[in-house]
Amino acid sequence: MCRHLAWLGAPVSLASLMLEPPSGLLVQSYAPRRQKHGLMNADGWGAGFFDGTLPRRWRSAAPLWGDASFASVAPALVSGCVVAAVRSATVGMPIEPSASAPFTDGTWLLSHNGVVDRAVLPLSAHAESTNDSALLAALIFDRGMDALGDTITGVAADAPNARLNILAANGSRLVATTWGDTLSVLRRADGVVLASEPYDDDPSWQEIPDRHLVTVDGAAGDARVELTPLKGS
Ligand code: GLN
């Protein structure tokens, strides 16, 4: 399992989203507060952000807390659309930078928080690694993001024990699912945060119910957050 976060809004630094909040991804890498599976997230991390419509990524297989280079540069990395994650690898999965979210198809950045039996996922030449999350990302990209809800319910039908929280962005839109793990939303004056767990104790954080599709569209300060129930079989 892992913890992930996305931002859509005014340009802000990766440090302000990931490293500076009192319970941000940096702290969640060793002391998550709401994680149901796994104690810490020490098997890598990834920060993805849009530079216009171009996704850029910095990923690692090492713990986020030990990365002094990222801590030094993150205050200068500024974007209006971000997807970041810290990883706790499922037993048997490779630990390598290409297995850390976010994954990309060149248009979207995508993170998976959860686990799924790889036997139900098709092999894909596009998968960035051999872990379940990379195979699932390749399947989602192949089917298209408009079909995300159908893809998730289809995989869940084949793998009833799967946990399938997805968080994706394309520079102007966030799309997420809740299927087996936590996700919260924070509407700020300058944008919207979706995160596996609140990065601080602001009472405005709202928990998103399980088995929902979430979309965030629109300009900073005027964002629309929509929730649609996902029907399981
Ligand atoms: N199943 C995932 C993996 O090993 C676990 C990490 C996560 O929740 N993304 O890649």
Side-chain angles (χ1 to χ4, degrees):
M1 296 300 285
C2 72
R3 304 276 82 185
H4 53 205
L5 169 145
W7 167 254
L8 183 67
V12 297
S13 74
L14 296 189
S16 73
L17 292 172
M18 298 172 62
L19 308 180
E20 293 164 8
S23 296
L25 287 179
L26 173 59
V27 173
Q28 289 170 32
S29 70
Y30 56 84
R33 296 190 292 176
R34 298 224 182 139
Q35 192 158 334
K36 297 180 190 164
H37 305 274
L39 293 176
M40 53 166 63
N41 300 286
D43 299 320
W45 60 273
F49 59 96
F50 284 86
D51 176 6
T53 56
L54 194 63
R56 298 191 184 278
R57 294 182 293 171
W58 184 340
R59 296 186 293 168
S60 165
L64 179 56
W65 69 74
D67 203 319
S69 296
F70 181 68
S72 163
V73 174
L77 298 175
V78 170
S79 176
C81 188
V82 174
V83 178
V86 289
R87 179 172 182 229
S88 168
T90 299
V91 174
M93 302 293 169
I95 297 178
E96 55 191 12
S98 58
S100 293
F103 306 98
T104 191
D105 63 352
T107 300
W108 289 86
L109 292 168
L110 185 148
S111 173
H112 168 226
N113 164 207
V115 62
V116 54
D117 183 348
R118 287 180 288 183
V120 307
L121 300 173
L123 287 176
S124 168
H126 305 140
E128 294 183 46
S129 178
T130 55
N131 62 322
D132 57 349
S133 301
L135 293 174
L136 179 62
L139 176 67
I140 291 168
F141 291 145
D142 283 349
R143 297 259 174 94
M145 291 302 295
D146 288 345
L148 177 64
D150 289 342
T151 303
I152 292 306
T153 53
V155 169
D158 292 342
N161 295 328
R163 297 191 300 274
L164 301 164
N165 279 38
I166 300 295
L167 186 53
N170 70 353
S172 58
R173 176 159 223 240
L174 307 183
V175 183
T177 59
T178 52
W179 196 282
D181 213 312
T182 55
L183 186 72
S184 292
V185 59
L186 177 67
R187 296 159 198 256
R188 297 184 357 188
D190 57 346
V192 175
V193 185
L194 292 177
S196 301
E197 55 186 82
Y199 60 51
D200 61 17
D201 291 330
D202 187 328
S204 309
W205 284 97
Q206 290 178 312
E207 213 164 310
I208 292 174
D210 197 32
R211 299 197 171 194
H212 276 69
L213 181 74
V214 186
T215 57
V216 182
D217 294 280
D222 188 28
R224 286 184 311 281
V225 180
E226 283 179 23
L227 272 63
T228 312
L230 289 172
K231 297 272 181 283
S233 55

